[in-house]
Amino acid sequence: MTSPQPPPPPPPEPRPPSEPATRPASRLRPRIAGVVTVLAGIGMILSCWLPWLDLISGDDPSGWDVYDMARQAGQNSFLIGEFFRSGFSPFFTGLGVAIGGGLIVTAGLVMVFSPTVPPRPGKLIIPDGLAAIAIITAFFGAVPPFTDYFSLTMTNPTPAMLSAAAGLGVMMILGAVGVLAVVAGIGVARTKRRKQG
């Protein structure tokens, strides 16, 4: 007579779904975007020494020349409120654009050194507070180049006499690159949990 066999062990309890691990790409994305942002901000600062305005005389002033002229004339050396005509025609000098470039560099550094969090559906890759600081700082940094370009195109009374030179276009493009890199680097994680079957 054989002895009865013991009952089989109970099945293991289902484990709760674990948080998805942060993928390397998700960790690298804000840092790579931050480096691009820093480079764009540095390029924007350097563009202050490129020709900004194309004059018929051939003596094309740079953004820093505009700053020097405003300072020597006793005007606001950061922003000239009536640059192209009397009334509203604002124009940031090289000093204003250099400060804007510094803000974009700061936004990039926030991206490079911010801690990353595990990506979840609908959640940011970096903490919300740092993401807000980076985005707001980058947008403020891009105000001077865009203001200068649109003021030139919208308030310049004699476009044939005065047009944008290379430096003005470069700084506007780099300002846009800095803002877009911050927004793309912060991004929303597009990961989904696997259904536990």
Side-chain angles (χ1 to χ4, degrees), residues 81-104:
E82 297 180 353
F83 189 79
F84 297 107
R85 65 181 180 193
S86 59
F88 185 70
S89 59
F91 196 79
F92 284 91
T93 68
L95 176 63
V97 173
I99 292 172
L103 290 175
I104 289 181

Side-chain angles (χ1 to χ4, degrees), residues 62-146:
S62 69
W64 209 252
D65 293 333
V66 175
Y67 160 72
D68 282 334
M69 289 184 289
R71 183 176 52 83
Q72 291 171 6
Q75 295 180 339
N76 185 344
S77 56
F78 175 75
L79 171 66
I80 301 171
E82 297 180 353
F83 189 79
F84 297 107
R85 65 181 180 193
S86 59
F88 185 70
S89 59
F91 196 79
F92 284 91
T93 68
L95 176 63
V97 173
I99 292 172
L103 290 175
I104 289 181
V105 169
T106 302
L109 292 176
V110 169
M111 300 284 293
V112 170
F113 295 107
S114 67
T116 55
V117 295
R120 302 174 193 170
K123 296 293 184 181
L124 297 177
I125 291 175
I126 70 174
D128 294 347
L130 291 175
I133 289 171
I135 290 175
I136 291 170
T137 304
F139 271 103
F140 273 111
V143 166
F146 279 91

